[in-house]
Amino acid sequence: MTEVPVFSTLPNHNTISRAYEQIRRFVRTTPLIRSDHLSQLIHGEVLVKAESLQVTGAFKFRGALYRLLNLNHEQKERGVIAYSSGNFAAGLAAAGQILKIPVRLVMPHDAPKAKIQNAEYYGAQVILCHSVTPSREEAASDMARELAETHSATLLHPFDDYEIIVGQASVALELQGQLEEKNQMCDHLLCPVGGGSLVAGSSLVFTNVAEVWAVEVDGYQGMNLSLKQGKRCRADGSIPSDCDALMALEPGVANLDITLQTNVRGITVNSDTVHDAVRIGFQEMNLVLEPSGAVAIAAIMENPELFENKTVVIIASGGNVDPEKYASILQSKEDKKVSIRQ
């Protein structure tokens, strides 16, 4: 049975456009890059929206900035607290630094060092959470809630938040403008999914224009399960994964509501293919992608038949990866190195 909608009226194009205008002077317009290899694979056209080149290395900066801009004066004075495995943490820290709003962040103790250092670099106070019960994200969330009460600070959710979803939708709005400039259509839009703010925001822009896909990694396909059941479902999280930014076990309530109303489809990929996708990003496009940021590339590599003869846009959502981990991914499977020339 489908859950009762959270939104009787979804955020519209005007709302998203106004949000984009608010944050536009702070964000980078990230490039749209053609992948010859993936285009040949589907006998169509594949374009990659490189949000890995965004300020702080991920799309999360957009939603964080819009959220802070819309705090009231008292909330700005008291500051904010949030939990994050990394990319939202850096985005929120950078937004707080720009707007001079104090930011405290609870991060899982096993978050990549690069992501912890990013958040600290932008001036946030980082508190590490060592608990993993009932999951690393939920433990960090509980800790952030307690700290917000202690410090009388505004508690922010990294993805299940109306204004953050609207802010993330600016990725798709910007993309839409780039496609219009190139006089290109989009048949499929593929978005990496952890909690779902990117795919929810993107579907608000591309609904009735393209088929929007939520791409998750095996073991953490909460959105995929939820879309199939029409209600919020929980993944088991039993499969080890390098996709640390996509380890939410279930989608946000608001995010799922939007994706159900906009008819988003779900697809799941395995970690081995994700590593191949990271290598494709580097070898062909000179993009440094973290595994979480490359899952949409992996979706095409695993399922080319779904996109045959179509124009597909991939959002490469993040590029924050520890150098050692990145080097090991690039150097692994040398005997099966992905060929980008045919």
Side-chain angles (χ1 to χ4, degrees):
M1 182 177 180
T2 303
E3 292 182 344
V4 177
V6 175
F7 300 111
S8 56
T9 303
L10 294 178
N12 60 31
H13 193 276
N14 287 339
T15 299
I16 296 167
S17 294
R18 286 194 298 269
Y20 186 37
E21 287 307 311
Q22 270 191 274
I23 66 174
R24 194 167 190 169
R25 65 191 178 102
F26 300 108
V27 302
R28 292 176 188 154
T29 300
T30 53
L32 196 57
I33 303 169
R34 186 181 191 273
S35 168
D36 293 337
H37 174 74
L38 297 175
S39 296
Q40 291 170 18
L41 187 64
I42 67 166
H43 305 102
E45 187 83 357
V46 178
L47 303 170
V48 178
K49 175 71 168 160
E51 276 295 298
S52 54
L53 300 177
Q54 187 51 257
V55 176
T56 74
F59 76 96
K60 292 282 192 176
F61 174 66
R62 297 173 183 260
L65 182 62
Y66 182 65
R67 185 68 175 87
L68 292 193
L69 281 167
N70 286 277
L71 296 174
N72 63 38
H73 177 73
E74 183 180 350
Q75 290 172 324
K76 289 177 180 177
E77 287 290 316
R78 291 184 176 181
V80 298
I81 291 178
Y83 80 91
S84 170
S85 63
N87 286 332
F88 181 72
L92 187 63
Q97 186 180 71
I98 290 168
L99 302 175
K100 296 180 171 53
I101 297 172
V103 174
R104 291 185 180 90
L105 294 162
V106 178
M107 301 181 69
H109 74 282
D110 58 351
K113 290 180 182 177
K115 294 186 176 183
I116 295 172
Q117 290 167 352
N118 254 1
E120 292 176 333
Y121 171 79
Y122 288 110
Q125 179 186 347
V126 175
I127 303 101
L128 297 181
C129 178
H130 291 269
S131 175
V132 293
T133 304
S135 72
R136 68 200 282 272
E137 276 71 26
E138 288 161 316
S141 175
D142 291 342
M143 188 174 178
R145 188 178 301 109
E146 293 171 3
L147 286 170
E149 292 174 0
T150 300
H151 294 281
S152 299
T154 299
L155 178 67
L156 300 183
H157 197 285
F159 53 81
D160 199 1
D161 181 292
Y162 174 91
E163 288 175 332
I164 285 174
I165 295 168
V166 170
Q168 312 303 23
S170 68
V171 179
L173 192 68
E174 186 176 283
L175 166 62
Q176 191 175 65
Q178 290 171 312
L179 289 170
E180 289 172 358
E181 286 177 6
K182 293 174 177 289
N183 197 29
Q184 284 187 296
M185 301 294 290
C186 175
D187 298 306
H188 300 276
L189 176 62
L190 276 61
C191 303
V193 170
S197 61
L198 177 62
V199 73
S202 297
S203 73
L204 292 171
V205 176
F206 276 83
T207 186
N208 300 322
V209 175
E211 194 158 41
V212 180
W213 295 76
V215 186
E216 295 172 294
V217 67
D218 283 340
Y220 300 90
Q221 67 273 37
M223 177 67 84
N224 196 350
L225 295 171
S226 300
L227 290 171
K228 288 178 180 177
Q229 294 294 321
K231 63 182 181 180
R232 203 161 177 235
C233 297
R234 185 180 178 88
D236 60 23
S238 60
I239 302 174
S241 176
D242 290 330
C243 297
D244 61 278
L246 307 184
M247 296 178 78
L249 297 180
E250 55 191 355
V253 174
N255 305 322
L256 176 61
D257 179 46
I258 290 172
T259 54
L260 285 172
Q261 292 193 57
T262 54
N263 299 311
V264 169
R265 296 181 65 180
I267 190 168
T268 307
V269 299
N270 70 64
S271 290
D272 284 344
T273 313
V274 171
H275 285 183
D276 289 339
V278 170
R279 289 190 283 273
I280 285 288
F282 173 74
Q283 293 169 25
E284 183 183 10
M285 292 170 276
N286 291 325
L287 290 178
V288 175
L289 299 177
E290 61 187 285
S292 301
V295 294
I297 293 176
I300 289 185
M301 296 172 72
E302 283 191 16
N303 306 277
E305 71 283 353
L306 293 177
F307 310 105
E308 189 82 15
N309 300 313
K310 300 296 184 180
T311 297
V312 183
V313 179
I314 290 165
I315 299 179
S317 56
N320 295 311
V321 57
D322 288 338
E324 298 82 5
K325 168 58 70 176
Y326 188 63
S328 77
I329 292 173
L330 294 183
Q331 292 166 6
S332 62
K333 294 187 180 179
E334 282 298 323
D335 57 327
K336 296 170 64 177
K337 187 175 181 180
V338 178
S339 172
I340 63 170
R341 295 181 177 83
Q342 295 184 356

